[in-house]
Amino acid sequence: LNDMMQSLIPAAYPILRDAFALDYVQIGFITLTFQVAGSLLQPVVGLVADRRPMPYSPVVGMMFTLSGLVSLALVQSYGGILLSVASIGIGSSIFHPEATRMARYAAGGKQGLAQGIFQVGGQAGGALGPVLAALIVVPFGQSSLAWFAVAALLAMLLLAWIGSKQREISAAFDAMRARASKTAGEVRHAPATIAVGLTVLTLLMFSKNAYSESFRSFYTFYLIERFGLSIEASQLMLFVFLAAAAVGVLVGGIIGDRIGRYRVIWFSILGPLPLTILLPYVDLFWTGVLTIVINLIMASAFASILIYAMDLLPNRIGLIGGLFYGLNFGLAGLAAAILGGLADTYGVEAVFRI
């Protein structure tokens, strides 16, 4: 529900561009504003939550998302758009650290599977945004975004219930971890190892997110300009691209538990390279096929990267969630803004070759 509401922002770009006569730089700055607002607070929220758990903080975050959605539906200026998406971003920044902790606590001994399931929710919700935009927002206009306030209210109810169960779930996790540490001994890493490891993992995640965000922001325009698709058809193509990530992240989490996260990460980083180079030169059919395979492979390492980071700092789960959902998406938003400038100068097809 959280990621579905977030994904309505880029899904609504073609409508906002026509309504407010926006150029690609302005569209890139909408992405940047949203992602920066969703990133700066996350590490801070995560650090505070590690020291003092806040089981009901995601409910507060969802209130920000609710207000941002309603505001975006009614806004009449470009500045208003930026304020609206910033509110949605702040909601996400409050949601993710505590949600990441709860997914970790509920995982039992299958961290890859658990993070994969958690990510399936996010990726599936993110993929639904373009479909809902094509079915609802395009026919009924910008004001129909306010209808999705129902999803925010439902999410608040679910989060309140999860918050009431946090003590029970965390107690079970602590007991399991105590048993495991007695059996195997707890591994402690040197500060230098932690610093280098987190830096490498952050760079890997940034490379993936920068590519994905460029697709979220500009793929529909690329399809419309290059192949002459309608807005609705381009949104469905974006849905197919994003839906592939939902499958990839679950499969990658399961495989990582079995063959090792190291191998999954290598495959996820290097596997898409020839396909991404080929993508700008193929027809519409192969564009669809390649985007599915690219995102399937890219998404497969998300759970592995996140669990590696959690293993480096096992007592800072909220901070890790804040860094990897926050910092990386903020950096990806910056990349989208830069690519928006390049799209205005050289054309959106050039951006996909880059």
Side-chain angles (χ1 to χ4, degrees):
L1 289 168
N2 179 74
D3 286 31
M4 181 270 287
M5 288 182 286
Q6 288 183 75
S7 71
L8 289 169
I9 296 173
Y13 282 170
I15 297 161
L16 295 173
R17 181 180 69 165
D18 293 343
F20 295 93
L22 304 179
D23 56 31
Y24 287 121
V25 172
Q26 290 174 306
I27 290 169
F29 267 99
I30 295 174
T31 301
L32 176 62
T33 301
F34 167 61
Q35 298 291 17
V36 167
S39 66
L40 293 180
L41 281 177
Q42 283 203 40
V44 178
V45 173
L47 192 60
V48 172
D50 284 330
R51 294 175 178 174
R52 185 178 178 181
M54 299 180 290
Y56 295 102
S57 62
V59 179
V60 177
M62 207 55 64
M63 291 178 183
F64 278 93
T65 300
L66 173 62
S67 63
L69 265 180
V70 174
S71 175
L72 188 61
L74 304 174
V75 74
Q76 297 295 321
S77 67
Y78 180 67
I81 293 174
L82 296 180
L83 288 174
S84 299
V85 300
S87 180
I88 297 173
I90 290 170
S92 180
S93 73
I94 298 173
F95 167 81
H96 273 124
E98 199 65 50
T100 304
R101 179 205 311 284
M102 290 303 292
R104 171 82 165 182
Y105 284 173
K110 297 184 177 180
Q111 291 294 333
L113 174 61
Q115 288 298 329
I117 292 170
F118 181 48
Q119 287 305 313
V120 163
Q123 299 290 353
L128 277 176
V131 175
L132 295 171
L135 296 176
I136 297 174
V137 182
V138 173
F140 297 100
Q142 178 186 342
S143 61
S144 63
L145 287 166
W147 301 354
F148 293 96
V150 175
L153 293 171
L154 175 59
M156 288 166 66
L157 291 173
L158 290 170
L159 288 168
W161 177 80
I162 291 170
S164 71
K165 298 290 183 181
Q166 189 195 53
R167 185 173 297 176
E168 175 186 335
I169 296 172
S170 61
F173 174 79
D174 290 340
M176 181 199 72
R177 199 168 144 202
R179 289 193 301 271
S181 63
K182 282 182 181 178
T183 305
E186 192 166 344
V187 178
R188 294 186 180 275
H189 300 284
T193 301
I194 294 171
V196 172
L198 290 180
T199 300
V200 171
L201 293 171
T202 298
L203 289 172
L204 293 177
M205 192 74 84
F206 167 66
S207 70
K208 294 172 172 296
N209 288 343
Y211 193 85
S212 296
E213 285 305 314
S214 70
F215 259 82
R216 285 182 185 273
S217 296
F218 304 115
Y219 187 42
T220 53
F221 299 119
Y222 174 75
L223 294 171
I224 290 168
E225 291 188 15
R226 178 154 188 213
F227 300 111
L229 295 188
S230 65
I231 292 177
E232 292 88 345
S234 68
Q235 298 284 18
L236 291 175
M237 289 282 284
L238 179 59
F239 162 74
V240 170
F241 169 76
L242 297 173
V247 177
V249 75
L250 179 60
V251 173
I254 295 171
I255 293 175
D257 280 339
R258 294 184 178 180
I259 69 170
R261 311 192 204 294
Y262 184 75
R263 293 186 180 92
V264 172
I265 292 175
W266 268 113
F267 176 65
S268 174
I269 295 295
L270 297 180
L273 179 58
L275 306 180
T276 59
I277 294 172
L278 184 62
L279 181 65
Y281 305 100
V282 297
D283 60 18
L284 179 61
F285 172 78
W286 284 107
T287 295
V289 172
L290 287 178
T291 53
I292 291 171
V293 179
I294 287 168
N295 215 19
L296 196 70
I297 298 173
M298 281 205 315
S300 64
F302 192 101
S304 293
I305 291 173
L306 198 62
I307 294 166
Y308 253 135
M310 289 177 178
D311 289 343
L312 287 171
L313 286 173
N315 296 319
R316 292 288 182 267
I317 305 304
L319 175 61
I320 293 300
L323 281 173
F324 281 82
Y325 287 106
L327 176 62
N328 283 289
F329 282 100
L331 292 173
L334 179 60
I338 294 170
L339 290 171
L342 293 173
D344 273 336
T345 304
Y346 301 105
V348 72
E349 289 186 38
V351 166
F352 277 78
R353 289 194 293 272
I354 292 169

